[in-house]
Amino acid sequence: MSKRKSTPLPVAPTSAITIGLDIGYGVVKAVTSAAVITFPSVMGHAREIKFRHEDITTRHPGEQITDDEGTWFVGDLALAQLPPGELLRLRGRTANEATMGNAFRLRLAKVAIGKLLQGIHNRDVIHVRIATGLPCDHMRDAAELKAALIGQHLIQTDIADVVANICEVMVMPQPYGTIYSRTLTPNGDLNPAHTFMRTGVCDVGTYTVDVALDDDGEYIDAQSGSVESGVWTAQERIAEALERDYRQKMPFKLVEEVLRTGRFRASGELVDYSAEVEEALAPLRSATLNLLSDKWKAGSIVDVVYLSGGGAELVMREVMSAYPQTQLVKNAQIANAQGYLNYARFAEEHS
C-alpha cells in the first residue's frame, strides 16, 4: 500500500487541521492532505525497556502516551514489547460505551493526532476538525462519541506535547467513507467520473463486516447494516492451530503472517498452512455473503459494489463471484479514512 509520509511540522499550524480518522477495531487510520498514519488499535500500560530503549522508541515514534491513567504503549510498540495478557484491544460494544469504549477511542485518537503533529511541543493549542465513522448498527452511539472527542485534550507523547482543541466532529456510518472516497475528490468536490446511481460498499474489518447502500446521495438504512464477524475469526482459528501444533501461544504478528501468506516459519523451515488458512477463512466468507444476501438479495438493483477494509482481499473471490459488479478499492484499508477527509472538505466548502 502506498503511503504519504508524515512530515513533522516545525511550528504549530495557524489554522485548523482536518483529519479523516478511522478508528478501526484492528488498525487506526488517520489521513490529512500531507500524511497517512496507520497503527494497530492495541495498547497496554508501559513497561521499562531495559536495553536499547532509545533505539526501540525511535523505531516506533509517537507510540508512548501519558495521560491521567499513566503511561501507555500503543500500536506496534505495544505488540512488540508487551506480553499478550497485557494487551488491550477495542472489541465491538463495551458494557459502558461512554466510559470504556469511547475512552479507548479517545486515547487512540490522541496518539494519531500526536503522530500527525510530530515535533510540535510547548503545549501549543492546535485546532482540529475530525470526520470519523462507526459501524452501521452502532450509529446510535454517535452522540456519545462526539461528546468524548470534542473539546481540549492534552496530548503528551514521546514526539509531541500539544493541546488539541477538537472543535468539530462528524460521525457517519463507517463504510460511507469508502463511498465518499469514490463520489468526492480529495478537494471535496463531486467526482464527475463516478456515474453510478445506487452505490454499495462492503467493508471487511477486524471485528465487524459492514455494508451500506447509497442511492444518488441518500443513505438507505434498511439496506445497510453490520455483523459482528471479521478477520479476527480467522486469526483466532489460526492461532489455535499453531498453539495446538507447537504448544505455545504465537505473537500476533506471526498469526497475521500465516493468514496472509499461508506459511509458518518453524525452526527456520517453512511449513505449509494453506489448508488451515482456507478453513479459518470460511466463517468470515460465509458471514460476509450472508450479510450481503440479507441486505441486497441478488444485488440486481445495486450498480456497483466497492469492497474495502483490511480484510477485503480475503473475501474478494467469493464476493465477486456472487456480485460481479464488485470492485476492489485501491488502498482498501485506508479508503474509509480518505473518504471521511473528502467529506469534511465537502462540508466545509458547502457550509
Side-chain angles (χ1 to χ4, degrees), residues 12-330:
T14 56
S15 59
I17 64 169
T18 301
I19 303 172
L21 180 63
D22 182 6
I23 307 176
Y25 293 123
V27 179
V28 175
K29 288 78 65 175
V31 180
T32 68
S33 58
V36 172
I37 296 294
T38 66
F39 59 92
S41 304
V42 60
M43 67 180 68
H45 288 285
R47 284 186 166 209
E48 180 185 4
I49 299 176
K50 299 182 178 68
F51 179 62
R52 300 186 67 182
H53 177 277
E54 186 175 341
D55 290 344
I56 291 171
T57 55
T58 300
R59 190 173 184 176
H60 305 288
E63 298 190 351
Q64 294 179 76
I65 185 169
T66 301
D67 57 23
D68 293 341
E69 295 187 33
T71 300
W72 301 80
F73 289 169
V74 181
D76 287 314
L77 177 62
L79 289 175
Q81 295 296 323
L82 299 179
E86 295 183 14
L87 295 175
L88 304 176
R89 298 180 182 274
L90 189 62
R91 290 178 179 257
R93 284 179 172 158
T94 58
N96 188 326
E97 195 70 352
T99 60
M100 296 173 65
N102 286 337
F104 201 104
R105 290 184 177 92
L106 175 60
R107 188 173 292 117
L108 292 173
K110 289 166 68 174
V111 170
I113 294 170
K115 281 175 172 282
L116 291 168
L117 299 178
Q118 176 178 348
I120 299 179
H121 298 279
N122 302 320
R123 301 197 176 174
D124 292 327
V125 177
I126 314 296
H127 302 293
V128 179
R129 299 170 66 241
I130 290 177
T132 188
L134 285 171
C136 294
D137 288 355
H138 297 189
M139 278 301 293
R140 61 178 61 90
D141 300 323
E144 290 182 347
L145 177 59
K146 282 187 179 182
L149 293 176
I150 284 180
Q152 291 200 347
H153 304 280
L154 176 62
I155 300 176
Q156 293 178 281
T157 74
D158 51 298
I159 60 172
D161 188 354
V162 300
V163 174
N165 178 40
I166 302 178
C167 52
E168 183 180 4
V169 175
M170 294 155 272
V171 182
M172 63 197 76
Q174 199 154 1
Y176 236 77
T178 294
I179 293 177
Y180 288 136
S181 77
R182 312 301 294 177
T183 60
L184 300 174
T185 69
N187 293 325
D189 299 320
L190 293 175
N191 180 10
H194 181 88
T195 58
F196 301 108
M197 294 293 291
R198 293 178 66 86
T199 302
V201 60
C202 177
D203 178 22
V204 183
T206 300
Y207 289 106
T208 65
V209 178
D210 290 84
V211 300
L213 186 65
D214 175 276
D215 187 357
D216 195 23
E218 181 177 351
Y219 174 61
I220 308 301
D221 185 76
Q223 292 176 290
S224 305
S226 313
V227 63
E228 299 288 336
S229 181
V231 180
W232 71 274
T233 57
Q235 292 169 342
E236 283 197 344
R237 286 173 177 248
I238 292 169
E240 290 170 358
L242 291 172
E243 185 175 0
R244 176 199 65 212
D245 294 344
Y246 297 98
R247 299 186 179 183
Q248 69 178 89
K249 289 185 178 296
M250 296 297 173
F252 173 80
K253 285 187 176 181
L254 293 183
V255 174
E256 181 68 11
E257 182 180 337
V258 172
L259 175 61
R260 300 293 173 177
T261 67
R263 298 184 298 177
F264 176 67
R265 186 175 294 278
S267 303
E269 299 292 329
L270 288 176
V271 181
D272 183 11
Y273 266 77
S274 56
E276 287 84 353
V277 168
E278 285 298 304
E279 183 178 347
L281 285 170
L284 170 61
R285 290 166 173 166
S286 294
T288 302
L289 291 176
N290 287 342
L291 179 62
L292 288 166
S293 177
D294 178 57
K295 296 300 180 182
W296 301 343
K297 306 307 184 224
S300 56
I301 63 170
V302 182
D303 295 333
V304 63
V305 177
Y306 292 127
L307 187 60
S308 68
E313 293 186 7
L314 301 176
V315 303
M316 178 176 62
R317 181 185 60 204
E318 290 73 19
V319 173
M320 286 184 169
S321 177
Y323 300 90
Q325 68 272 52
T326 297
Q327 297 180 15
L328 178 66
V329 175
K330 184 180 180 181

